[in-house]
Amino acid sequence: MNALRFPSEFVWGASTSAYQIEGATKEDGRGVSIWDTFAATPGKVRNGDTGDPGADHYHRYAQDLDLMRELGLRSYRFSVAWPRIQPNGSGKPNQKGLDFYRRLVDGLVDRGIRPMVTLFHWDLPQALQDAGGWESRDTALRFAEYAEIVFGALHTRDWLTINEPKTVVDCGYRQGVHAPGIADWDRALVACHHLLLAHGLASRLLHERHPGRRIGPALNLHPTYPAEDTQACRDAAERQDVIENRLYLDPIFKGYYPEETLPADRSHIREGDLAVISEPIDLLAVQYYTPVFVGPDQLRVIKHTTRQAGWLEDYPDGFHDILTRVHRDYPAVPLVITENGLATDDEPGPDGRVADEDRVSYLRGHLAAMHRAMKAGVPVEGYHVWSLMDNYEWAEGYAQRFGIVHVDFESQKRTPKDSAIWYRDLIRTGELH
Ligand code: GBH
């Protein structure tokens, strides 16, 4: 492949989230989150793994900041743990929690790395779950209060509201494989509405109180394709697209829900809600891992198997297709890629190197596909690999490693994998080889 050039102002970065890396779940006044509860419930997470020790980032953040600088990152996307800021989900902020994120943001700025802050990456305060969680409208109102506390404490431009509302809806409320572990589609749709409302309320607040800043949602988008070239499969893929993508894109960009997703009982959807949800956004954060191939029976068909995560297919064209489609159907907003990556089971070899060639190949293919979309006019301003370092992969515990930096969860030693060295060179030259 000839080298592909990226614009010199292109923003290269890496992503993490609080519960997955911080550890220290009982320190400095942090309250209990629904993931602490879920992980402690027997049978929910592989090997009974919990967010402790994580990558012990709460204590090692200074070392991790130096690592980011060595890799040449220009942006770092992380999340704030709501239970560190409001241990019970409402009321006066916990100073020590705010101080941690202030130190982190200062450390980034000192090193010339742009912070991108996610307000909610799934670690809901348990006290709010006890009061109904996302099925309760009040959680959306509490989220806006929490957002305003964080907006006021961190002086930084770019903000993301909710990470992957679809995963909360689908894994947390439909399948029950994530916290809070509910398996009921009707309840999932209520939670979905309140997640979107929370996004809209926080976005509106930022616009009213902090002009000059930018905000948007972080959506995991999955292009859907017919598994076979038949009418039944094409229809099934179309139906699947509604559930995967349009349930989130349509209300946010157009102010309405796809007809097929409106439940019989709509009492939770109030007059004016969709105007809040469709508050204009300043950027759309796109997370892409895998397409979905759909069989005539609406069941998923896996076509391009990857070694570790069964749900994740290596299909770069899907990235190109979803980017061009989003830009065509939901135009006029800059796109930032906030997650893309692969799980592998790499360990350091005798020479200390971590040879993760599958990850390099996945990333290379996906960046080439993104480049193709940019050439076709899609305004992608930056890219963040998932993840900066190995971490707690939710229900998979520590078994799946998505990092470009290896973490030994016993010693907490960090070792940049071959993919990290490759990424550093890409950032330095702006050329994809
Ligand atoms: C993202 O989720 C998350 O934002 C991030 O925290 C996570 O670490 C990363 O991607 C890698 O997974 O679908 O039933 O097979 C992506 C959505 C949801 C996909 C859980 C994998 C596994 C359960 N993920 N899903 S299932």
Side-chain angles (χ1 to χ4, degrees):
M1 176 169 87
N2 289 332
L4 299 175
R5 273 214 76 65
F6 282 88
S8 57
E9 67 280 4
F10 194 75
V11 182
W12 296 103
S15 277
T16 63
S17 91
Y19 190 71
Q20 293 178 274
I21 63 165
E22 287 178 357
T25 61
K26 296 187 176 68
E27 265 174 72
D28 290 344
R30 178 187 178 280
V32 176
S33 82
I34 59 172
W35 267 94
D36 298 293
T37 309
F38 190 75
T41 309
K44 297 296 184 189
V45 174
R46 191 187 289 267
N47 302 322
D49 290 345
T50 73
D52 285 305
D56 196 34
H57 171 76
Y58 192 75
H59 299 118
R60 294 169 198 260
Y61 72 93
Q63 175 194 342
D64 291 336
L65 286 166
D66 287 341
L67 189 58
M68 292 179 218
R69 183 181 44 197
E70 282 157 30
L71 296 178
L73 299 189
R74 298 184 188 153
S75 175
Y76 175 54
R77 180 233 177 194
F78 63 95
S79 80
V80 172
W82 188 349
R84 288 198 194 282
I85 307 305
Q86 292 177 302
N88 294 310
S90 60
K92 205 168 93 352
N94 168 31
Q95 197 55 43
K96 286 189 170 163
L98 287 176
D99 287 346
F100 171 71
Y101 297 105
R102 284 206 189 99
R103 291 195 299 273
L104 183 64
V105 165
D106 288 349
L108 288 167
V109 172
D110 286 348
R111 290 165 180 79
I113 304 166
R114 209 186 269 179
M116 181 170 246
V117 188
T118 307
L119 289 164
F120 180 73
H121 200 125
W122 308 350
D123 43 1
L124 189 76
Q126 182 62 43
L128 293 184
Q129 189 63 42
D130 298 342
W134 290 111
E135 289 173 78
S136 161
R137 187 180 180 89
D138 192 55
T139 298
L141 308 181
R142 297 284 84 79
F143 177 77
E145 289 174 10
Y146 153 69
E148 179 53 20
I149 293 170
V150 187
F151 292 155
L154 304 182
H155 303 278
T156 178
R157 189 188 59 175
D158 290 343
W159 296 81
L160 302 173
T161 52
I162 307 286
N163 179 72
E164 299 191 348
K166 178 196 134 102
T167 304
V168 177
V169 169
D170 202 57
C171 295
Y173 284 88
R174 188 182 68 85
Q175 300 185 61
V177 296
H178 280 190
I182 291 161
D184 182 322
W185 182 237
D186 290 328
R187 292 171 67 182
L189 285 175
V190 176
C192 179
H193 183 68
H194 295 139
L195 282 156
L196 294 173
L197 187 64
H199 154 79
L201 288 169
S203 302
R204 193 170 264 190
L205 258 181
L206 186 94
H207 289 146
E208 282 167 7
R209 306 211 185 150
H210 305 275
R213 295 186 181 183
R214 310 194 301 173
I215 196 159
L219 301 184
N220 51 324
L221 300 176
H222 300 92
T224 64
Y225 302 95
E228 296 149 34
D229 192 20
T230 63
Q231 194 56 41
C233 284
R234 282 193 290 273
D235 291 347
E238 193 84 4
R239 283 195 298 275
Q240 193 64 25
D241 178 52
V242 173
I243 300 300
E244 301 283 345
N245 307 305
R246 285 185 42 215
L247 175 53
Y248 309 93
L249 290 163
D250 284 359
I252 289 173
F253 280 91
K254 299 183 170 167
Y256 56 76
Y257 282 109
E259 201 47 50
E260 308 87 309
T261 63
L262 280 168
D265 176 3
R266 303 171 191 181
S267 52
H268 58 286
I269 306 177
R270 298 200 192 157
E271 179 89 42
D273 283 1
L274 279 145
V276 173
I277 292 171
S278 58
E279 169 77 10
I281 56 176
D282 310 297
L283 73 171
L284 175 65
V286 174
Q287 317 201 143
Y288 173 80
Y289 290 91
T290 191
V292 178
F293 289 90
V294 194
D297 43 11
Q298 202 78 34
L299 287 181
R300 196 171 164 185
V301 177
I302 301 285
K303 293 202 155 184
H304 315 84
T305 326
T306 58
R307 248 178 268 174
Q308 242 208 345
W311 57 276
L312 200 166
E313 298 189 51
D314 189 346
Y315 189 68
D317 283 348
F319 198 16
H320 166 271
D321 293 353
I322 198 70
L323 289 172
T324 48
R325 181 267 179 109
V326 162
H327 183 57
R328 183 193 68 215
D329 293 351
Y330 308 92
V333 58
L335 308 183
V336 183
I337 311 309
T338 43
E339 290 187 25
N340 172 240
L342 181 70
T344 54
D345 50 8
D346 26 52
E347 288 297 336
D351 56 355
R353 258 184 63 200
V354 184
D356 57 340
E357 57 281 332
D358 286 1
R359 175 171 294 101
V360 172
S361 145
Y362 178 96
L363 295 177
R364 182 187 280 128
H366 284 76
L367 287 169
M370 181 182 81
H371 190 270
R372 194 149 49 89
M374 291 166 69
K375 281 274 175 252
V378 181
V380 182
E381 59 173 61
Y383 173 93
H384 301 72
V385 64
W386 183 272
S387 174
L388 174 64
M389 56 185 142
D390 292 338
N391 57 51
Y392 180 75
E393 178 55 17
W394 307 112
E396 300 297 335
Y398 297 99
Q400 290 185 358
R401 296 175 173 275
F402 274 90
I404 58 170
V405 173
H406 181 272
V407 175
D408 177 326
F409 294 110
E410 298 285 322
S411 66
Q412 291 297 342
K413 182 175 178 334
R414 275 83 164 127
T415 307
K417 303 179 190 179
D418 283 0
S419 57
I421 311 299
W422 173 85
Y423 195 51
R424 182 197 64 193
D425 292 345
L426 163 62
I427 296 173
R428 199 177 281 159
T429 60
E431 277 182 15
L432 177 68
H433 291 277

